[in-house]
Amino acid sequence: MCRFLAYIGPELPIESLLLAPENSLLNQSLDPELHPSLQLAGWGFAAWSAHLLKPDAPLLYHRPKAAFHDDNAKTLIPSLQAHTMLSHIRAASYDASVVQADENCHPFSFDHTPWIIAQNGALPHWRQLQRELLPHCKDQYLTQMRGTTDTEFLYVLLLSLLEGDSDDDVQRGFEKLLKVICKAARDLDLAALTKLKIALVSSDRIIGVNFGCGHEGETDVTGDWEKLREEDLPLSMLLEPIYLLTGANFDDHANSYDIDPCPEGRPPRPYSRQSR
């Protein structure tokens, strides 16, 4: 499975997020849990910093190779810091149809929107579903699509459905996204388990969304994801949560992802998650 990590908070060296922890994102790619889908298909990150010449735009980096073999990582990353960051490691099966290229590395970023996106998920049959979904897509985003991944197409579809950038607008946009996907799958008789674990990020803002539908296209999926690991791994992965840490003093816990947790009674809001 793919992996992503998002950060928002005080400016800090992104080395402390991507390289230094023993279980850093790059180190995790050396020992993936789901071995049939190794993290070999590329990786990337986007970072916002007040110290960049263009502080309102993300610095984007992509490399179509295994993150742990990226010879640039240990020279580039220690020179950077950020107050908002999104990084992603792409998993792929052993299949010659998998295209390893910059254009297929997350995060994806288009013009005319503040949002970038990364995903740990999959939209089955997405190429066939385009027959029903393309009418919902706006040309200003379709013409920017360069790669061959379902995530980039989901990005096009989501941006086309958004009516604004407020929390409520984004929530409605994601609800519409799943609704039109499920309808297209039913109309084309292509219903299948769809796991959408998405990070939507802009400067000083992170929105994490974990949703999808079951094997028959149902959206009211329930169950104990840990118990399902032995019985139905794909369904287990759909139900598994996105992990969220909120707190302070990250810098006091060197070489780890530990923080001083937020006081009880101050949980993050459901869709706009200021988190580490």
Side-chain angles (χ1 to χ4, degrees):
M1 59 183 177
C2 302
R3 297 168 187 261
F4 64 72
L5 171 70
Y7 167 83
I8 185 169
E11 290 242 353
L12 52 72
I14 65 173
E15 181 180 20
S16 65
L17 296 168
L18 297 181
L19 295 179
E22 183 178 354
N23 64 331
S24 71
L25 190 67
L26 269 67
N27 284 341
Q28 289 179 40
S29 68
L30 282 165
D31 187 23
E33 181 179 356
L34 188 60
H35 288 277
S37 294
L38 298 178
Q39 274 95 54
L40 302 175
W43 81 290
F45 67 84
W48 284 264
S49 172
H51 299 279
L52 294 171
L53 292 178
K54 296 182 179 180
D56 296 328
L59 170 72
L60 288 165
Y61 177 83
H62 296 131
R63 199 84 190 274
K65 65 187 300 183
F68 52 81
H69 277 314
D70 187 349
D71 50 341
N72 289 333
K74 291 184 179 180
T75 56
L76 174 67
I77 290 174
S79 299
L80 299 173
Q81 63 184 49
H83 58 76
T84 309
M85 188 208 71
L86 175 60
S87 185
H88 180 276
I89 291 176
R90 184 182 177 220
S93 59
Y94 293 111
D95 188 333
S97 67
V98 175
V99 179
Q100 298 186 42
D102 282 343
E103 293 82 2
N104 288 337
C105 294
H106 307 217
F108 295 100
S109 176
F110 285 172
D111 295 332
H112 312 303
T113 176
W115 300 109
I116 64 172
I117 197 171
Q119 183 193 198
N120 168 16
L123 176 59
H125 313 299
W126 70 275
R127 289 182 175 84
Q128 297 98 307
L129 292 176
Q130 285 182 96
R131 281 185 275 161
E132 300 293 325
L133 296 175
L134 281 172
H136 298 283
C137 297
K138 294 180 178 178
D139 288 346
Q140 69 184 103
Y141 303 121
L142 272 174
T143 54
Q144 296 185 66
M145 188 170 176
R146 300 170 59 221
T148 59
T149 66
D150 56 348
T151 301
E152 191 177 17
F153 179 70
L154 283 168
Y155 185 39
V156 169
L157 183 59
L158 174 65
L159 293 176
S160 301
L161 295 171
L162 287 178
E163 296 178 357
D165 294 324
S166 72
D167 290 351
D168 289 342
D169 286 328
V170 175
Q171 180 174 349
R172 283 192 293 268
F174 273 105
E175 290 169 350
K176 290 178 184 176
L177 178 77
L178 187 58
K179 183 178 180 180
V180 298
I181 288 172
C182 290
K183 183 179 185 302
R186 288 193 303 270
D187 291 348
L188 297 176
D189 196 24
L190 291 172
L193 189 143
T194 301
K195 180 187 74 166
L196 305 176
K197 296 181 185 290
I198 293 172
L200 189 69
V201 178
S202 64
S203 179
D204 292 318
R205 201 164 169 208
I206 295 173
I207 295 177
V209 177
N210 183 17
F211 71 157
C213 56
H215 294 287
E216 303 302 323
E218 72 278 16
T219 56
D220 56 344
V221 184
T222 59
D224 185 324
W225 68 269
E226 291 180 300
K227 292 181 179 178
L228 282 167
R229 286 211 156 188
E230 299 300 322
E231 306 167 12
D232 190 337
L233 182 60
L235 187 61
S236 169
M237 293 169 68
L238 168 63
L239 294 170
E240 184 174 1
I242 293 177
Y243 296 96
L244 171 70
L245 295 174
T246 62
N249 304 321
F250 181 83
D251 291 339
D252 293 343
H253 302 273
N255 301 328
S256 78
Y257 286 133
D258 292 338
I259 56 173
D260 295 336
C262 283
E264 290 187 13
R266 292 174 56 187
R269 292 191 294 171
Y271 282 88
S272 184
R273 298 179 173 181
Q274 297 203 350
S275 61
R276 290 181 173 162

